[in-house]
Amino acid sequence: MPTSKEELLRRGLKPHDIQHNQHRRAEWQDYGGTGLYMVTFCIEGRHPLFGHLEGDIHARRDTADFPHIVLTPLGHAIMTEELPKIHHFYPQVEVWKAAMMPDHLHLLFYISAPLPTGKHLGHVISSFKGGCSRLWWAQGTTNADALGTAAGTAAVVPAASAAVSVAPQSSRPSLFEHGYHDRIIKRPGMLENIKRYMADNPLRALMRRQLPHLMERRLHLRIGTHEYAAFGALFLLKRAEKEQVFYHRRDKATGLPTEQTESYQRARDRQLDEAREGVVLVSPGISKGESLVIHAAVDEGLPVIHLQKEPIERYWKPERRRFEACARGALLILAPWGLDEATDYARFHRLNDLAAEICSTTDVVLLDVKDIL
């Protein structure tokens, strides 16, 4: 049986906390050597100082109505003045792509040769963030006026920004929150996926805004007797007809990989047919047999509840394929609390135990988010 958060606490074990530090670096990576990274910086307080979004989520790409950002003077100055300085001061560093959003910025960095002795990616980023902050200080409250005019709403800026023109530099606030998040790009095909992700940022943001019931993010809810974070179409939990997709890696009778057996093919076809009739398929999709069914269902737009071991945090969002499934109202992603099993085999059964419970209940309770802050 699955182990709940309360049971772990009674045993004196610390449950897996949903709040993760996204600023940890990969210990095995040489950040002073060559490498390709996508780096994300967020404005302190997530204030939309860089611009506002416009467009229609149903518009065709490469048209004026396709979702895009309208930059403030600060956003424009960072893109045109501060970004070129990176390559100027660090000729080994090339900025391949930049994607600015109202409250954060993605940069695709390529370090083509080792950085000077004692320098690493963190120094490059620190210099860039410092330059952006100094630009912000120099503009003073100009950003607030520009943002309010462009967006047609009252601007929201950090309280300290009203006094930055007189405050000493040591006491001035930073434009960005502490740290940054980096993704090391190593696998074939990952670069193109990252580029698409960056280009589609405005589209995804407007989709979340215009389709809130399909893009819900809940950091703390209870389903049956266990607790989760969630992203996507929460209403799928209330569907009475749910079926677990659960297959072992090998067929016990034949010893063959399960997905190669005739019995699997029959079961797979039956589950997809039922999903076409409205049954919600529930699974972590860990074994190949499970993942084949779940991938087929997601591609076809059939209703799916997908459990994952990775946490869902305040700003987390799925990759493009699953994001689009959420936008169709066909997918809910759940990340259970307390998933601290040491082996893949234990996680496999733990997640499938949770999938079985989800199939057997429509009991969902939203809990107070302050419990995890």
Side-chain angles (χ1 to χ4, degrees):
M1 293 297 291
T3 305
S4 69
K5 181 182 176 184
E6 291 79 6
E7 291 168 337
L8 289 170
L9 290 171
R10 283 197 295 271
R11 296 178 190 178
L13 300 175
K14 179 177 176 57
H16 183 68
D17 192 355
I18 200 169
Q19 288 291 94
H20 291 267
N21 179 5
Q22 289 193 339
H23 308 307
R24 291 175 296 179
R25 310 275 76 83
E27 295 179 1
W28 45 265
Q29 177 71 10
D30 177 10
Y31 285 94
T34 60
L36 182 58
Y37 307 89
M38 185 184 78
V39 179
T40 302
F41 321 88
C42 297
I43 292 178
E44 183 66 47
R46 300 295 293 230
H47 298 291
L49 299 182
F50 291 155
H52 69 278
L53 296 175
E54 291 185 356
D56 182 353
I57 62 175
H58 303 294
R60 294 175 55 186
R61 293 180 183 273
D62 301 320
T63 64
D65 289 334
F66 192 74
H68 59 279
I69 184 171
V70 177
L71 297 176
T72 61
L74 174 63
H76 183 266
I78 287 175
M79 296 292 280
T80 58
E81 298 175 24
E82 293 303 320
L83 272 184
K85 292 180 182 178
I86 294 176
H87 184 66
H88 175 76
F89 290 108
Y90 294 94
Q92 308 92 333
V93 181
E94 301 173 16
V95 180
W96 279 8
K97 189 176 181 65
M100 181 169 275
M101 292 291 285
D103 60 2
H104 65 278
L105 173 64
H106 298 296
L107 295 180
L108 188 59
F109 283 120
Y110 176 54
I111 303 178
S112 60
L115 294 172
T117 302
K119 298 293 184 179
H120 53 71
L121 179 65
H123 293 102
V124 177
I125 291 172
S126 178
S127 297
F128 171 73
K129 291 172 67 176
C132 293
S133 290
R134 287 188 291 273
L135 184 63
W136 178 50
W137 301 336
Q139 289 193 359
T141 58
T142 303
N143 288 316
D145 300 333
L147 182 59
T149 302
T153 58
V156 181
V157 295
S161 64
V164 295
S165 60
V166 296
Q169 182 167 326
S170 60
S171 65
R172 292 174 178 174
S174 172
L175 173 63
F176 295 103
E177 66 180 27
H178 178 70
Y180 59 92
H181 177 69
D182 70 88
R183 181 175 297 181
I184 305 168
I185 302 173
K186 287 183 173 292
R187 297 190 303 274
M190 188 175 179
L191 175 59
E192 292 307 311
N193 289 338
I194 290 293
K195 287 181 178 178
R196 285 194 296 269
Y197 171 86
M198 293 171 69
D200 284 347
N201 253 356
L203 172 62
R204 288 194 303 269
L206 283 182
M207 289 172 71
R208 291 197 303 272
R209 186 180 301 171
Q210 296 177 21
L211 304 170
H213 62 296
L214 305 181
M215 300 288 184
E216 290 194 67
R217 182 190 284 107
R218 298 286 183 173
L219 298 184
H220 198 185
L221 68 160
R222 181 182 295 117
I223 306 167
T225 61
H226 293 88
E227 296 173 21
Y228 302 82
F231 184 98
L234 276 175
F235 60 80
L236 292 177
L237 289 169
K238 289 297 186 179
R239 294 270 186 93
E241 292 186 281
K242 298 191 285 286
E243 179 169 343
Q244 182 181 9
V245 177
F246 178 32
Y247 298 100
H248 285 280
R249 289 179 171 84
R250 291 195 172 272
D251 180 67
K252 292 182 179 179
T254 65
L256 292 171
T258 298
E259 66 277 4
Q260 296 180 10
T261 64
E262 291 184 6
S263 60
Y264 168 79
Q265 296 299 328
R266 290 193 297 270
R268 173 186 180 277
D269 291 344
R270 176 188 59 79
Q271 289 183 320
L272 291 175
D273 283 342
E274 290 181 348
R276 294 181 187 108
E277 297 297 322
V279 174
V280 180
L281 302 181
V282 184
S283 179
I286 296 177
S287 70
K288 188 171 182 180
E290 294 172 3
S291 66
L292 287 173
V293 176
I294 294 303
H295 287 171
V298 169
D299 288 343
E300 194 174 332
L302 304 177
V304 170
I305 295 176
H306 183 211
L307 287 86
Q308 66 177 33
K309 64 180 183 296
E310 294 80 12
I312 294 175
E313 301 164 317
R314 184 175 300 279
Y315 303 117
W316 180 92
K317 49 186 175 291
E319 73 285 356
R320 180 178 181 177
R321 186 164 169 270
R322 291 195 296 166
F323 189 93
E324 291 175 350
C326 291
R328 295 193 297 266
L331 178 63
L332 173 66
I333 303 167
L334 296 175
W337 287 36
L339 190 65
D340 56 356
E341 283 77 1
T343 67
D344 288 341
Y345 186 79
R347 279 193 292 271
F348 171 80
H349 281 284
R350 162 80 155 141
L351 288 170
N352 274 295
D353 286 343
L354 295 176
E357 181 182 39
I358 290 168
C359 288
S360 66
T361 184
T362 57
D363 179 22
V364 181
V365 179
L366 299 180
L367 301 176
D368 193 342
V369 72
K370 71 182 181 181
D371 294 343
I372 58 170
L373 296 181

